[in-house]
Amino acid sequence: MKTLTVDIVPCVESVSQVSAAPDGLVWVVCADRNIGSVVKWMDPKKGDWNLIPDLNNATRVTGGSKGKAYIINSAHEVSSYTKKGVPTTLKCDFEPSELSIGPDGRLWVLSKGLGESLGGKRAYYTDNNGKDWNEIVGAACTSMDAGVIDWQDPV
């Protein structure tokens, strides 16, 4: 197991979410009373935190591969961002509230809405950067992490 020691994330107020990406980058959503809810990223090999420019309304982040992250903003839009801040907005016909990248690069999203009457939120995934969304029928999720599962039989 590798351990990453981080002294301080340079945010004015607080960190609300951390995501470690498959490519090794670490992404955070943090509150900054001067500019809003921002996203910063760090390459552990270098140790410097970098601000995604022109993004001040982030609510959730999940790190992808090749220096890309997916972010939900306060308007409930999902966008992919490069480390330099180049956004691509994904079309969603639902209100996203949580997201995670699977080990195969698949983007998973939980939505607010009808699934909540079942005790959770609806789950969707896309294999093509939001061109098509697939709903997991009957899902009533409360949280998600689409990371790697190293299953071993306990016997």
Side-chain angles (χ1 to χ4, degrees):
M1 173 184 282
K2 293 182 181 179
T3 302
L4 171 65
T5 303
V6 178
D7 293 328
I8 295 176
V9 179
C11 295
V12 174
E13 293 180 20
S14 64
V15 173
S16 62
Q17 186 185 14
V18 177
S19 177
D23 61 7
L25 297 180
V26 178
W27 298 81
V28 297
V29 174
C30 56
D32 186 316
R33 68 178 149 266
N34 297 316
I35 55 177
S37 182
V38 299
V39 173
K40 294 186 178 187
W41 64 271
M42 179 190 63
D43 181 341
K45 296 174 187 167
K46 297 179 182 174
D48 295 332
W49 286 98
N50 303 276
L51 178 69
I52 295 292
D54 302 320
L55 174 66
N56 63 0
N57 63 348
T59 60
R60 306 298 293 169
V61 66
T62 187
S65 60
K66 299 180 184 172
K68 186 188 288 188
Y70 291 87
I71 296 166
I72 298 175
N73 65 23
S74 59
H76 306 289
E77 299 167 324
V78 176
S79 297
S80 65
Y81 277 82
T82 65
K83 295 185 295 186
K84 295 185 187 250
V86 178
T88 301
T89 301
L90 283 62
K91 182 180 179 285
C92 298
D93 292 331
F94 51 86
E95 189 174 324
S97 61
E98 178 65 81
L99 71 174
S100 185
I101 292 285
D104 57 358
R106 180 177 280 173
L107 176 64
W108 291 83
V109 175
L110 293 184
S111 76
K112 295 181 177 181
L114 298 176
E116 292 181 55
S117 64
L118 301 172
K121 299 175 182 177
R122 289 185 170 191
Y124 298 86
Y125 68 89
T126 181
D127 292 314
N128 55 17
N129 212 28
K131 290 182 181 74
D132 298 300
W133 289 97
N134 304 287
E135 181 180 358
I136 304 300
V137 178
C141 305
T142 56
S143 63
M144 77 170 4
D145 183 353
V148 177
I149 297 174
D150 185 13
W151 176 261
Q152 295 179 6
D153 194 338
V155 176

